[in-house]
Amino acid sequence: MSFQAYSSMLGNKRIRLDLSFQLFISIKFLLFSVSISQIPLGSKLSVVENNQWTSSSGNFAIGFFSRSAQYSVGIHFNSNSIPNSKQTVVWVAGADLTVGNNSYLHLTQNGELVLFDSNGGFISWTSNTTNSSVASAVLLDTGNFVLLNKKREIVWQSFDTPTDTLLPSQNLSVNQTLRASSRNSIASYYSLHIKDQLQLRWESNVVYWTSKSTSQPILQAILSSDGALHLLDQRLEIVWSVFGADHNDSDVKFRFLRLDADGNLRMYSWLDVPKTWTPVWQAVENQCDVFATCGLCGICVFNSSGFPVCKCPFTPTSEPSLKCLVPYGNECKSGSFITKYEHTFLYGIYPPNKTVTLASLQKCKSLCQEDPHCTAVTFTNDATPQCRIMKTQYITGQSTPSLSSVSFVKRCSDPLAALPISPASSSSSPVSSSFSPQGFCIPCLIGVALGTFVAFFVIQAGIGFYCYKRRKYMRRKASLAYANTNSKGLISFSFSEIKEATANFRHQIGPKMFKGVLPYNQPVAVKDIKEVDIEGRKFRNTVLKIGSICHKNLIQLEGYCCDSSHRYLVYEFAKNGSLAKCIEDPKMCKRLTWGKRMEICLSVARAIAYLHTGCREFVSHGNLKCENVVLDENFNAKVSEFGLGRDRVGGERDVRDFGEMLVELVSGRREGGGACEWAYELWGKGEAEMVVDRRIEGGLNSEQLERALRIAFWCLQFDEEMRPSMGEVLKVLEGTLTVDPPPPPFICRNRQEVEESSDSELEHRI
């Protein structure tokens, strides 16, 4: 079977899969084709017995767990590959409900699930299914706990009452809510809703994040098993999606989406190494943009570590405390004054309301001064000058050098301290002339004043120098946090900063590639791409799109330079350099065992397949070769310099380039097309093992070699329509798809070259 025929068949399968997917998420009953562990009526779980019900695979379990000296009952991960301390709870009966140490969960003979609280001696939660003819219960391998009737139809399920977490295949509909776990008074107010779009809210009326608006009303959201969050319209068609950094990574077995206690929505994946849950996507890139991140502990400041820090600017120490209140009240008897805060955006909480008016900066300040109930105002001018007036002492917000907003905070005036009056000195005193009639030592006052002035000048100079260095760095960090909401954030460098980072391009690590160091000793690789003729604005747009692409096998873009005619890309630094360098270096080549080479092939295939089908829009690499694949300290492969060629035709070129790179990696020969023709000739003679690089130590896998060469020669077909997609290439390399022997890939090309040569010779004769 040819890949051309297979592609047609695969397209039909995809259509059917889409229809099946829509049917699956709308169906309200379940047919069981496998043996599962059913829980009969009368079954009971208790805190004392510490027992639990598990799914048939053992990946999930339901039981009691400790919670702040009390207990809750819920569903948690239970896989043997996840340590006990990491077996995250994904659903809790009654959300934040806690019960005493003699409590139990009972599936009654009437078919009702009830939670009995030993503290109060009453039923604290129930499934309300007494009249639903429940016959049994099952914890499914999806993590869904269901109650079934005799026809094995679902009459109640935990997926319909989510708490703070969504599991793969679980829906969040318009009448459902995710609410953050109430670990503190702040977290209990965060929630996720669907109202025309996906919304993160504080209380009920403050929306601090929304998904991209769509023309179709949103019916539900669903987390897919491959690491994507989809929004579906009323026709159950996907209208908006976001993807985790490891989207389509088949090595990831467990995922979930959770509204965390800090108010941010994150997607998590389980990594067997280093055995931890890793966030692979989050809704709000800058945590300071989450409403009430600092609550009553001050305002949010992004520090050099990239994590938010809460500071209280209303106190002399500027340190966070249990309560950071504006130092003004309506009963302020001693008067008030206004303090200005640059690059600061404030808002009130408890209650989270404000009055917004159109006003200039000075008018905004005056409005607060004249209103006895005003505690603070924030002025913004994003095309429209707005003044936000707050009338509460409970104020929070954020402060970052990139913010253009200005805030004013009203303070109570402290009472003036009266200076003590000394008794009159005797005129006979030898030092009486040194004192004023009021008893003050004038030389002493002058000396103290001069000393204070000098000390003040030195301190201010030191603070000024520190602030200058700090602001310079924070501006760069700010650009990282605010550059683009769809990206990880990119730093925009000037050409002089590029020269400084690379020590005037002193350390060359590849063709037009230089090693650089950013502040705080972060190593980077700087690529000169001035030969790419792209107009400045188009270059920036292209770079921002590249920066939004995140995959574990794609090198991370840290920043760029678009200064006059200079064009540079700044990448994360890969310790072992390019794959081409490792193949050519006799010592490093020893690390490239057969297994490692196949692992590199898979990594590159996953990266290119993600560019072609995993991003929101098609992205071609356009220049895939061993020089553009780099290896980190563990020899894990990452593809670099992608995305500058964005036409769909480039996808076929990527496939061809991958085939050529695969042959080079297997053979260790860097002759390009010549090496590929040589390899095909040997393979055609049944001498495939003669193609393999003689420097490989530890043997090879003949089956893998045959698959690799076959798919490589399919990729190298002269007829582009005969080439496979990168998704099909990946499946072959993984061993999940068989591949037929390919036809000679170079015949048509050689024939065309001969014809062109003949035509040229004929024209010369004429």
Side-chain angles (χ1 to χ4, degrees):
M1 173 178 162
S2 71
F3 264 100
Q4 190 174 4
Y6 177 80
S7 298
S8 176
M9 183 185 73
L10 185 62
N12 293 332
K13 281 187 176 180
R14 285 170 180 161
I15 295 173
R16 291 196 297 270
L17 283 173
D18 287 343
L19 294 174
S20 300
F21 171 75
Q22 294 177 10
L23 180 62
F24 170 75
I25 61 176
S26 62
I27 199 168
K28 287 301 179 183
F29 60 89
L30 184 66
L31 297 177
F32 295 90
S33 59
V34 296
S35 174
I36 54 178
S37 303
Q38 293 200 19
I39 302 163
L41 299 180
S43 299
K44 184 183 293 186
L45 296 175
S46 70
V47 176
V48 175
E49 294 180 6
N50 193 27
N51 54 339
Q52 60 183 16
W53 300 327
T54 61
S55 63
S56 60
S57 66
N59 288 336
F60 291 92
I62 180 170
F64 283 92
F65 61 94
S66 178
R67 196 174 191 179
S68 303
Q70 296 280 7
Y71 293 88
S72 293
V73 63
I75 301 168
H76 60 86
F77 284 97
N78 193 56
S79 171
N80 291 331
S81 62
I82 303 177
N84 290 338
S85 61
K86 302 289 186 178
Q87 291 180 352
T88 305
V89 175
V90 296
W91 179 82
V92 180
D96 290 313
L97 185 65
T98 57
V99 293
N101 57 8
N102 287 312
S103 303
Y104 59 84
L105 181 71
H106 186 203
L107 180 58
T108 68
Q109 295 294 339
N110 294 328
E112 189 172 30
L113 199 63
V114 297
L115 177 61
F116 180 84
D117 184 2
S118 62
N119 283 339
F122 57 85
I123 295 174
S124 59
W125 176 86
T126 174
S127 62
N128 292 317
T129 53
T130 299
N131 299 318
S132 300
S133 302
V134 173
S136 63
V138 174
L139 179 57
L140 302 178
D141 287 334
T142 58
N144 188 14
F145 187 73
V146 300
L147 301 182
L148 307 172
N149 60 19
K150 292 180 180 179
K151 296 180 181 179
R152 288 190 167 180
E153 296 171 335
I154 296 176
V155 297
W156 180 93
Q157 57 183 339
S158 61
F159 272 13
D160 285 343
T161 58
T163 50
D164 63 351
T165 302
L166 278 187
L167 290 170
S169 77
Q170 182 178 4
N171 301 332
L172 181 72
S173 62
V174 291
N175 59 347
Q176 294 175 334
T177 300
L178 289 190
R179 185 169 295 279
S181 176
S182 298
R183 298 180 187 174
N184 52 61
S185 59
I186 300 298
S188 60
Y189 288 96
Y190 292 123
S191 59
L192 178 72
H193 302 260
I194 295 178
K195 187 177 181 181
D196 298 328
Q197 53 192 338
L198 209 57
Q199 294 182 345
L200 286 174
R201 298 182 192 171
W202 161 266
E203 286 196 340
S204 60
N205 59 343
V206 178
V207 178
Y208 57 90
W209 176 85
T210 60
S211 61
K212 184 179 179 181
S213 60
T214 63
S215 58
Q216 299 294 328
I218 302 302
L219 178 66
Q220 55 192 350
I222 186 168
L223 176 65
S224 65
S225 59
D226 60 359
L229 176 63
H230 302 295
L231 293 186
L232 310 178
D233 64 12
Q234 293 176 333
R235 295 173 297 177
L236 300 179
E237 293 182 353
I238 296 174
V239 294
W240 180 87
S241 300
V242 291
F243 303 93
D246 58 357
H247 176 242
N248 272 337
D249 188 342
S250 58
D251 293 335
V252 179
K253 295 181 180 179
F254 304 108
R255 307 177 192 268
F256 66 86
L257 183 78
R258 184 174 66 197
L259 179 55
D260 285 328
D262 63 6
N264 214 333
L265 182 67
R266 295 183 178 88
M267 188 187 304
Y268 291 87
S269 296
W270 175 255
L271 298 182
D272 284 328
V273 179
K275 288 197 175 297
T276 185
W277 290 104
T278 300
V280 293
W281 173 83
Q282 64 182 37
V284 186
E285 288 293 334
N286 181 357
Q287 184 61 35
C288 286
D289 287 337
V290 174
F291 192 91
T293 285
C294 289
L296 299 180
C297 296
I299 65 174
C300 187
V301 180
F302 234 72
N303 67 357
S304 59
S305 68
F307 295 99
V309 172
C310 297
K311 293 189 176 182
C312 186
F314 316 132
T315 60
T317 61
S318 188
E319 291 295 327
S321 60
L322 294 177
K323 284 190 178 181
C324 176
L325 304 181
V326 172
Y328 176 80
N330 296 335
E331 302 299 324
C332 192
K333 298 179 180 179
S334 57
S336 63
F337 64 97
I338 293 286
T339 302
K340 182 179 181 182
Y341 294 92
E342 298 276 4
H343 311 295
T344 302
F345 186 95
L346 300 178
Y347 48 82
I349 57 174
Y350 303 131
N353 57 6
K354 59 182 178 296
T355 303
V356 180
T357 61
L358 297 178
S360 66
L361 177 64
Q362 289 303 318
K363 180 64 174 176
C364 187
K365 179 180 178 181
S366 300
L367 287 173
C368 191
Q369 287 176 320
E370 296 165 2
D371 187 344
H373 299 290
C374 174
T375 56
V377 290
T378 289
F379 173 81
T380 60
N381 191 5
D382 298 327
T384 302
Q386 292 185 334
C387 180
R388 289 168 165 79
I389 301 174
M390 287 148 273
K391 299 182 180 182
T392 174
Q393 284 187 280
Y394 303 102
I395 288 175
T396 184
Q398 60 176 300
S399 177
T400 308
S402 64
L403 289 177
S404 60
S405 54
V406 178
S407 295
F408 299 94
V409 175
K410 188 183 289 185
R411 296 169 177 264
C412 283
S413 299
D414 294 327
L416 298 176
L419 293 175
I421 300 177
S422 301
S425 301
S426 171
S427 59
S428 61
S429 172
V431 293
S432 60
S433 59
S434 299
F435 287 82
S436 67
Q438 288 77 20
F440 291 106
C441 176
I442 295 176
C444 296
L445 289 175
I446 294 174
V448 170
L450 286 174
T452 302
F453 176 79
V454 171
F456 178 80
F457 177 81
V458 172
I459 292 172
Q460 288 298 313
I463 292 175
F465 178 75
Y466 171 80
C467 290
Y468 168 76
K469 299 294 287 184
R470 180 70 171 173
R471 177 169 293 186
K472 184 177 179 182
Y473 177 72
M474 285 298 292
R475 281 178 177 169
R476 185 170 295 179
K477 290 297 291 184
S479 68
L480 184 65
Y482 289 93
N484 189 292
T485 56
N486 292 327
S487 70
K488 292 288 185 181
L490 298 179
I491 306 173
S492 177
F493 294 94
S494 66
F495 179 60
S496 60
E497 289 174 320
I498 291 291
K499 290 179 65 177
E500 180 182 353
T502 59
N504 200 19
F505 307 103
R506 182 181 303 171
H507 305 294
Q508 186 166 0
I509 56 178
K512 298 186 178 180
M513 182 74 79
F514 305 88
K515 183 178 180 180
V517 180
L518 297 185
Y520 292 84
N521 298 320
Q522 179 187 353
V524 290
V526 179
K527 176 71 173 184
D528 182 356
I529 58 167
K530 69 177 75 174
E531 74 277 0
V532 179
D533 186 18
I534 305 179
E535 183 266 332
R537 184 170 61 180
K538 185 177 180 182
F539 174 75
R540 290 188 183 91
N541 290 337
T542 300
V543 165
L544 289 176
K545 289 180 181 179
I546 297 172
S548 69
I549 299 172
C550 187
H551 188 275
K552 71 175 184 178
N553 297 125
L554 292 172
I555 202 78
Q556 183 64 48
L557 185 65
E558 302 286 355
Y560 66 97
C561 171
C562 183
D563 189 350
S564 185
S565 61
H566 302 290
R567 301 285 188 274
Y568 292 90
L569 295 179
V570 181
Y571 294 103
E572 64 174 301
F573 182 72
K575 183 177 180 181
N576 285 310
S578 71
L579 178 59
K581 173 186 172 183
C582 291
I583 292 176
E584 294 170 354
D585 187 291
K587 292 183 179 179
M588 297 185 71
C589 186
K590 293 181 179 180
R591 297 281 301 275
L592 297 178
T593 62
W594 175 258
K596 177 56 69 174
R597 296 191 193 212
M598 289 299 99
E599 183 182 317
I600 291 172
C601 290
L602 276 169
S603 297
V604 175
R606 289 190 180 110
I608 303 302
Y610 181 79
L611 290 176
H612 288 187
T613 60
C615 300
R616 292 187 185 179
E617 60 179 278
F618 177 90
V619 178
S620 68
H621 189 287
N623 192 28
L624 182 62
K625 52 186 178 181
C626 291
E627 285 79 1
N628 290 335
V629 175
V630 294
L631 305 175
D632 64 13
E633 63 275 11
N634 297 318
F635 273 69
N636 296 319
K638 295 189 177 186
V639 177
S640 68
E641 298 188 40
F642 53 89
L644 295 177
R646 308 184 69 84
D647 57 305
R648 283 194 171 270
V649 177
E652 299 303 327
R653 177 179 174 179
D654 288 348
V655 174
R656 183 202 68 191
D657 290 346
F658 178 82
E660 190 169 297
M661 190 195 75
L662 180 51
V663 172
E664 290 182 2
L665 186 57
V666 169
S667 66
R669 298 179 61 165
R670 302 293 318 286
E671 295 91 348
C676 293
E677 292 193 37
W678 163 81
Y680 183 81
E681 184 179 347
L682 287 175
W683 174 82
K685 295 178 181 179
E687 300 175 355
E689 294 189 3
M690 297 296 293
V691 177
V692 179
D693 191 344
R694 292 291 179 269
R695 298 172 296 175
I696 293 179
E697 298 178 355
L700 57 90
N701 185 309
S702 299
E703 183 181 346
Q704 286 182 339
L705 173 62
E706 182 67 18
R707 278 204 310 267
L709 290 179
R710 285 191 181 189
I711 195 62
F713 299 140
W714 274 110
C715 292
L716 292 166
Q717 292 296 313
F718 180 77
D719 185 353
E720 293 181 354
E721 293 184 0
M722 295 182 67
R723 296 174 190 168
S725 69
M726 284 306 302
E728 293 162 344
V729 171
L730 180 58
K731 290 181 182 297
V732 169
L733 292 176
E734 289 175 336
T736 59
L737 180 66
T738 59
V739 55
D740 292 337
F746 312 106
I747 291 179
C748 295
R749 186 181 71 184
N750 294 340
R751 185 179 301 162
Q752 184 183 39
E753 290 172 353
V754 170
E755 290 175 354
E756 290 175 353
S757 176
S758 300
D759 291 343
S760 176
E761 184 178 353
L762 181 60
E763 290 174 2
H764 179 72
R765 289 178 180 176
I766 293 174

